[in-house]
Every structure is written in C-alpha cells, then in structure tokens.
Amino acid sequence: MSLRLSHLIGGDARSASGGGCLEVFEPATGQPWAQCPDGTADDVDAAVAAAKAAFPAWSNLPAAERAAWMNRLADALEARLDDFAAAESRDVGKPLSLARNLDIPRAVTNLRFFAAAATQFASESHAAPGVVHYTLRQPLGVVACISPWNLPLYLFTWKFAPALAAGNTVVGKPSEVTPVTAWMLGELAREIGFPAGVFNIVQGHGARVGQALVDHPGVKAVSFTGSTAVGTRIAESCARSLKKVSLELGGKNPTLVFADAPREKLLDTVQRSAFLNSGQICLCGSRILVERAYYDEFRDALVARARALVVGDPTDPATQVGPVVSKPHFDKVMGCIELARAEGGRVLCGGEAVKPAGRCADGWFVAPTVIEGLGPQCRTNTEEIFGPVVTLQPFDTDEEALALANAAPYGLAASVWTGNLGRAHRLAGAIEAGVVWVNTWMNRDLRTPFGGVKQSGIGREGGQEAMRFFTEAKNVTIDLG
Ligand code: NAD
C-alpha cells in the first residue's frame, strides 16, 4: 500500500490541496511507493504564517529549553532508527546498512550537536575606557531550509537544527524525490508535542513550492543545499530582496594520489569516496589524479575493486552499491557515460546498467564505472555527474597535480594522499576547495566550517558558522560616563 504523506503546518498534518499529489518512486524497483502533496504558494503562506506566530515564544525560550526540545526529538528519532533507516533506504535506494549506520545516526547527532550549540553560543564584548560595546546575536525570524535527495534526513536536520537552536522558526522543504523521512520526522514532532509552528514542512516540486518559499516576504533567510543551477536561481531571487542566503552546491572533487601515499587505507578509502551512496554524495571524489609512477598499479587495483563491488537490492546485507535515485537521474548518468565515450574516454569497467534478478529487475542500477584517457577540460571532467562514475588522470609533478585539481569550475572538497606532509600542507593551501582531507576522506567534525568555493557555493555551515548565519549581529555601545 502506498504511503500518503502530508505537509506539517502549525503542528497539523495538512494533506494535498490545490496542487494535488505527486508519486514517489522506489529506485530499487522502479515502482511508486508513496504519494506526496505537491504544495502551492497557499501552503507556503500558511506555513510561514504558522512559523511567524510561533517565533516570539520560541525565540524567547531559554536556550536550555530549546535544546531540551531538540534533544527530545533526537531521542524519539533514535528510538525509531530502524524504521527511519528502512524508509531512507527505500526512498533513495541506498543500502540499508548505510542508512542505518550513517544517515539516521547522523540526523540524530545533528539535532544533539546543535542542541548543545544552543546552550554554548556566546557573543563578544569590547570594553574601552568609559565605553562598552557588546554584540547581540539575535535570531532572524522565519527561515527557509531547502534540502536535496542524496542524504535526505542527514542534510535536512543539518540545516534546520542550527536554525532552531539559534531561536528561529523554520519552514523546511525536503526534496520531492525523497520526501518520506522528513514527513516521518514531522509526524514524530507531532507525537512528542514539539511546539506547534516552530518547525513546519512543505512538500512538493522545487520550482513551485520551493520558489514560493524563497520569494516569500516573510522569510528572512534561505539555507539551501542542492545543485548549482538551482542555487544560482535562488541567489538571484534572494538578491532582489537582499535576503540572507547560504548555498551548498555541486562538486567535482579531485582525489590526488602520490606514489609515496601510505597504502594502508588508500584503496579502501578512495573506493568508498568514489562509489559510496552510488557516488551521489557531494563530497565524492570523482576525478582521481594519480602520480604516473604509481598510475598503472593503482588503476588496476581500483578497477579490480570496482568490478568486485556488489550491486543490488539495498535490503540485502551483502549489497555495497544500490541504484541511483530516479529514472531521470539514471538517464543523466548513462548519458554522461556515453558522452565520456564520445569524448574519447576508455571505459575500464562498468559503463552499463545492471539488472539484478528478482524484485529489483526494473530498478535504476548503474555499474561502478572507471574511465581513463580524458583531459581536464572535457565535459566529463568539468561537469558534475553525481553517479558511480570516476575518471583517472596521470600527473608527473606537484604543480601538474595542482593544476589538474583546480581545473574544474567547482571547489567543494579535495583529498590528498601522500607520505610527505610538507607537500600535503602546500597543496592544501593552494587547492581551490572549502574542505581538504589529507590521507583520509569524509572525516567530519561538526564543529568545523563546511562549504565550497567557485561553483560549489557561498557561505559556510557547521558549528559556529551555522549559528552565525542564522543570527543577526547587532552591536550596542553604552557610554558609561
Ligand atoms: P536540486 O537543486 O535539484 O534540488 C534541491 C532542492 O531544491 C530540492 O528540495 C528541490 O525541490 C528544491 N528546488 C528546486 N528548484 C527550486 C527553486 N526554484 N526554488 C527553491 N527550491 C527549489 O538538487 P538535487 O538534485 O536534489 O541534489 C543534488 C545536488 O545537490 C548535486 O548537485 C549535489 O552536488 C548537491 N549537493 C550539495 C551538497 C553540499 O553540501 N554542497 C550536499 C548534497 C548535495
């Protein structure tokens, strides 16, 4: 039976109205499994009004009480971890083990981390003879949090938790491709009696309900994670009303492998960074640059590993790679592989759809794909594919590695693998990216700044950066004379 989702507005579940419903598909089977309201500007109006009404009480709660509500939600989520993991796996197609070990635990951690941040957030004062200046950090009001489909609950909580912690009220907009766990979280908030209107969710197509949310005059700031194309449109809309905006966008991340790299974790980690979540993580390393002296050995080992990955039913514990998220995305990824061939790339493994037996025969599976023989300026190496597809390029010198790393228009993350820490430090300083890992990948600490440069976005999330984004600094000066 198909799930029937709703919006969460003012503490009430609101079903589809004028906009009707859209079907949500299970990528592993290609079959619909939920009906999601396709929200309208009226739904946005109602959600913003509810959030506005809830703002005075929520922003005036002592920080410890806001934190207590967020911890209650985290506890309730943790108690239902298995249900949420099963839904996330079904909605995105990610292996159940990944949803259970990464996505949902991280959503719980996001809520707890920012609950703690609410109680630790401090501002500055500057004393001078006869004068004291102090800075208030005041919540903005109603803010919009718009999230993508690749890590649905992980990124949704990552955005709204700091907003709530700082005293704002929220209208959230999850991806219409994967709306289920956000809806479940809304139901959980209702169950535990989370203060009505503090946290609202509107569901539906981004171009209609998302755009109406961005444009709403009652929304004071927009925190967006998604594609560069949509992020650019949102930046234009926000510019018209000088609305505060934070944009976490696409990536085309380089992985730099030097011949002196410590071998212990290298192949395991580079393989994960290439194919985890079917390559649908903004941090995935999709351009692998390898020092020529080590190129052949590394390439052969990576290709052998990619071939050995188990692609199949996300509910099977043996599965390492599930489908990609949707039929349009499957078509896009397959089109990118065709383009790579047309550009002269050699497909060393993968390059085709996979048809698992049984219930997943009609799912949208792509074989882990490794391509070589393409230069840095071709579309395959400059455009985001966001699937289980990586390219290999050799280099001879540090300068050449750096030039290749910086050749893409994106600048989210990079990882550098070398035994020479001086080189790692020099490259980390020169690589155009917001995040650089040395001899590791996706090693996250929620206190650190997170975000990209170039086409990967504007602004930083994480720890204090997020708390600052969701507050306005107001300086007060008192003449003590
Ligand atoms: P998307 O841009 O298509 O959609 C993201 C969200 O924006 C969805 O909720 C969508 O409904 C909404 N949206 C679409 N049009 C809108 C509009 N006009 N106004 C307001 N909202 C609108 O992205 P996606 O396909 O869901 O996600 C994949 C992309 O997200 C990739 O490019 C990936 O790199 C990026 N991403 C970036 C990060 C990061 O931290 N930098 C993290 C995860 C994903």
Side-chain angles (χ1 to χ4, degrees):
M1 202 183 63
S2 183
L3 287 175
R4 287 195 82 83
L5 315 188
S6 46
H7 308 290
L8 173 69
I9 297 180
D12 294 325
R14 176 163 162 157
S15 44
S17 51
C21 269
L22 51 92
E23 268 184 328
V24 181
F25 290 87
E26 181 180 0
T29 62
Q31 300 304 311
W33 81 290
Q35 297 271 320
C36 174
D38 193 4
T40 63
D42 287 345
D43 296 314
V44 170
D45 270 344
V48 173
K52 199 169 171 189
F55 177 71
W58 180 253
S59 57
N60 282 310
L61 270 189
E65 288 184 37
R66 287 203 299 273
W69 275 115
M70 293 173 65
N71 280 323
R72 259 172 239 153
L73 189 59
D75 294 346
L77 176 58
E78 193 170 46
R80 297 266 310 276
L81 193 143
D82 284 342
D83 295 342
F84 274 79
E88 202 71 300
S89 164
R90 206 164 166 195
D91 220 15
V92 188
K94 63 180 69 206
L96 182 55
S97 54
L98 185 61
R100 194 182 274 142
N101 297 326
L102 176 75
D103 290 73
I104 309 304
R106 174 57 191 277
V108 172
T109 303
N110 287 340
L111 289 165
R112 292 201 177 126
F113 175 85
F114 284 109
T119 64
Q120 304 298 318
F121 194 41
S123 66
E124 312 85 39
S125 80
H126 308 273
V131 179
V132 65
H133 311 268
Y134 63 92
T135 309
L136 297 173
R137 284 264 162 199
Q138 298 178 307
L140 306 171
V142 179
V143 298
C145 295
I146 303 177
S147 52
W149 50 254
N150 62 325
L151 301 165
L153 200 65
Y154 173 135
L155 288 173
F156 194 51
T157 49
W158 176 241
K159 304 195 94 56
F160 81 72
L164 294 184
N168 303 280
T169 53
V170 170
V171 180
K173 154 72 183 89
S175 169
E176 64 274 29
V177 182
T178 56
V180 174
T181 49
W183 165 71
M184 289 170 67
L185 192 72
E187 291 298 290
L188 212 53
R190 277 164 22 93
E191 265 170 55
I192 66 167
F194 204 88
V198 168
F199 162 55
N200 306 274
I201 301 171
V202 289
Q203 301 272 14
H205 276 114
R208 181 165 65 185
V209 76
Q211 190 68 49
L213 182 58
V214 168
D215 290 338
H216 199 289
V219 168
K220 302 299 179 202
V222 178
S223 175
F224 172 82
T225 298
S227 62
T228 298
V230 172
T232 306
R233 195 169 314 139
I234 289 177
E236 285 165 5
S237 304
C238 290
R240 281 196 285 277
S241 52
L242 295 181
K243 213 169 264 184
K244 210 171 178 186
V245 64
S246 166
L247 302 171
E248 299 293 341
L249 309 178
K252 190 77 184 172
N253 308 306
T255 302
L256 288 71
V257 181
F258 287 84
D260 66 358
R263 299 289 196 268
E264 207 180 294
K265 302 176 294 172
L266 172 69
L267 278 158
D268 273 350
T269 314
V270 173
Q271 172 201 299
R272 278 181 67 238
S273 84
F275 301 120
L276 192 69
N277 207 36
S278 300
Q280 301 167 125
I281 299 181
C282 54
L283 301 169
C284 278
S286 53
R287 293 183 297 135
I288 305 176
L289 318 174
V290 189
E291 190 171 357
R292 201 177 302 275
Y294 179 37
Y295 183 88
D296 289 356
E297 183 187 339
F298 177 90
R299 174 196 58 202
D300 294 348
L302 183 71
V303 167
R305 280 164 171 267
R307 284 206 177 104
L309 284 169
V310 180
V311 182
D313 188 340
T315 60
D316 184 338
T319 292
Q320 292 165 292
V321 179
V324 297
V325 77
S326 67
K327 177 71 166 71
H329 194 56
F330 171 85
D331 290 341
K332 178 199 155 178
V333 173
M334 295 308 292
C336 290
I337 295 171
E338 279 322 298
L339 173 68
R341 286 195 171 100
E343 288 184 313
R346 282 185 300 283
V347 176
L348 303 173
C349 63
E352 75 271 321
V354 176
K355 288 267 158 218
R359 75 174 200 106
C360 295
D362 293 326
W364 302 308
F365 295 83
V366 178
T369 301
V370 180
I371 300 168
E372 71 171 359
L374 290 170
Q377 299 305 336
C378 67
R379 287 177 58 194
T380 304
N381 276 326
T382 52
E383 297 178 6
E384 188 180 45
I385 298 173
F386 219 53
V389 181
V390 296
T391 62
L392 289 169
Q393 295 174 74
F395 65 81
D396 289 301
T397 63
D398 290 22
E399 291 64 37
E400 199 186 339
L402 179 64
L404 289 173
N406 288 344
Y410 294 97
L412 185 55
S415 51
V416 180
W417 291 84
T418 177
N420 178 339
L421 284 184
R423 163 195 281 152
H425 178 68
R426 276 193 305 280
L427 286 171
I431 288 174
E432 294 163 354
V435 178
V436 179
W437 286 291
V438 176
N439 298 335
T440 184
W441 174 72
M442 213 162 99
N443 192 333
R444 295 274 298 119
D445 181 318
L446 305 193
R447 294 169 298 183
T448 60
F450 180 87
V453 300
K454 295 157 74 177
Q455 296 288 301
S456 291
I458 297 175
R460 292 292 177 272
E461 297 184 337
Q464 296 293 312
E465 303 277 347
M467 297 298 283
R468 290 207 177 99
F469 174 77
F470 284 117
T471 51
E472 199 72 79
K474 179 190 286 173
N475 202 70
V476 181
T477 299
I478 302 182
D479 185 328
L480 300 172

